[in-house]
Amino acid sequence: MKTAILTDSAAIIAPQIKHKLAIKTLSLPLLLNGKRYYEKYDYDRQQVKAMLREKNSFLMCGQVSVTAIDEFLNELIDKGYTDVIWVYLDNDISGLGNNLRSYQQRHDQINIHLVDSYSMGVAEGNLAVLAAKLVAQGKDWNAIEPILKEVRNSNQTVMILKNLRHISTTGYVKNGVFPIQKTIFRPQTLMRFNPQGQLEVQSTYLQHSKLSRTIRRMIMPAYQEMAGQLQITITAIRTRHNDQVISRLIKAINRTFPAAQIKLYEMNLSMIAHIGTDGIVISWG
């Protein structure tokens, strides 16, 4: 048995770790002003980020076709892989999971094991890294699956959105609250991936202080359990608005959770395509 670890470009993994663990990434197609881009090309990344600073530029994630998935996996089959563990972007904000399940049902040349990350960014990447380490230890899927689910369920991810335009294009919100009705939401909408991976509105705020208090209340149970082992990540594009929110959040988190480890990450294009340039993603676990 030879097992490959796959994820998509909405996951954040340090390049050296990805190379060391041989984690393979499907680059999601990104659409901007009528052109298609892929995050794996550095010049595209810089070019797209520059274009996003222009007025009315709107980055979207295109549909990943079954044909593209087929080509991606055929390369692995040619290299002798028999199994694939695919950790992918939360199904509530992307159609990728549905396409993967459709492909899984009709393909018999390779065993495909799917893991909905119930998240995006760093939390998604951490699950893929964990899967790769478990494979390196010689564990098979039956041993790996419960470990991944346990870790996934112990991690939490929330998003702070200035508007819901991207979510209304790429996904939906739990309990029939469709984000296209964004006029009912005030600025600073706090959303979270619940334990079932559904995206739901936690609350809305105009004041940063109330937003910060809610996030700290959500983190508190994990901090009480893990203390110095708790890792909190904040992922965002550096803008004037985001910098203000991030600065206040970090100060508040440091005061409340002095033993926690806080890390900042630059948001990648695939995440921007799903939540916009003003979005901030916070994960802990």
Side-chain angles (χ1 to χ4, degrees):
M1 183 177 70
K2 185 178 180 182
T3 303
I5 304 300
L6 307 184
T7 189
D8 55 72
S9 53
I12 292 180
I13 306 173
Q16 62 272 24
I17 294 177
K18 186 184 294 186
H19 177 75
K20 179 181 179 180
L21 296 175
I23 299 172
K24 306 180 191 314
T25 301
L26 175 69
S27 292
L28 302 176
L30 306 173
L31 309 175
L32 178 64
N33 299 338
K35 294 185 178 181
R36 186 180 295 264
Y37 299 88
Y38 290 91
E39 188 143 21
K40 62 183 177 181
Y41 302 116
D42 288 339
Y43 67 89
D44 280 347
R45 183 183 294 115
Q46 298 306 320
Q47 180 183 1
V48 170
K49 283 187 176 180
M51 294 172 67
L52 285 173
R53 290 193 287 268
E54 300 174 4
K55 189 177 181 180
N56 298 323
S57 289
F58 186 75
L59 183 66
M60 294 178 58
C61 189
Q63 186 76 3
V64 179
S65 68
V66 173
T67 300
I69 297 171
D70 196 48
E71 292 175 353
F72 192 64
L73 290 177
N74 278 340
E75 292 184 13
L76 298 177
I77 294 171
D78 292 341
K79 294 177 181 178
Y81 285 96
T82 59
D83 290 74
V84 163
I85 298 175
W86 198 321
V87 179
Y88 60 91
L89 173 66
D90 178 84
N91 194 62
D92 261 23
I93 59 174
S94 169
L96 177 60
N98 292 331
N99 283 353
L100 292 177
R101 282 190 293 273
S102 174
Y103 187 91
Q104 180 189 41
Q105 293 170 1
R106 69 177 183 82
H107 201 287
D108 57 6
Q109 290 182 275
I110 191 169
N111 298 314
I112 304 172
H113 311 290
L114 299 179
V115 182
D116 187 336
S117 68
Y118 291 179
S119 60
M120 67 191 312
V122 175
E124 180 187 357
N126 286 344
L127 271 183
V129 169
L130 174 59
K133 289 180 177 179
L134 293 172
V135 167
Q137 294 171 11
K139 297 184 184 297
D140 62 12
W141 171 244
N142 291 331
I144 292 172
E145 182 183 20
I147 297 174
L148 292 181
K149 288 185 176 180
E150 180 181 0
V151 171
R152 178 187 68 186
N153 295 339
S154 68
N155 291 331
Q156 293 193 56
T157 298
V158 300
M159 301 185 301
I160 303 169
L161 302 182
K162 188 175 182 180
N163 66 70
L164 302 179
R165 182 182 180 188
H166 283 76
I167 294 295
S168 63
T169 301
T170 61
Y172 59 91
V173 180
K174 179 178 176 288
N175 294 333
V177 182
F178 293 96
I180 199 167
Q181 300 170 325
K182 49 184 170 290
T183 54
I184 69 172
F185 294 111
R186 292 173 289 177
Q188 307 304 322
T189 300
L190 179 65
M191 309 183 80
R192 71 163 184 154
F193 296 105
N194 69 18
Q196 292 74 44
Q198 297 168 312
L199 187 62
E200 60 184 16
V201 174
Q202 185 74 17
S203 194
T204 55
Y205 303 89
L206 288 173
Q207 297 179 353
H208 293 292
S209 58
K210 290 184 179 180
L211 177 70
S212 176
R213 283 199 296 271
T214 300
I215 293 173
R216 282 180 287 167
R217 283 198 299 270
M218 296 173 72
I219 295 175
M220 181 61 74
Y223 183 75
Q224 290 175 336
E225 181 179 349
M226 302 177 67
Q229 294 183 316
L230 182 67
Q231 295 188 357
I232 302 170
T233 65
I234 301 175
T235 307
I237 290 292
R238 302 301 300 271
T239 65
R240 182 181 301 176
H241 168 264
N242 285 350
D243 282 351
Q244 292 176 349
V245 177
I246 291 170
S247 177
R248 294 176 183 181
L249 271 175
I250 290 178
K251 289 179 181 178
I253 289 172
N254 275 329
R255 285 197 303 269
T256 309
F257 313 114
Q261 304 173 44
I262 304 174
K263 294 184 179 181
L264 297 178
Y265 290 86
E266 179 76 6
M267 188 177 294
N268 60 32
L269 294 179
S270 295
M271 293 176 69
I272 294 172
H274 287 92
I275 66 173
T277 54
D278 290 319
I280 297 174
V281 177
I282 305 168
S283 296
W284 64 90

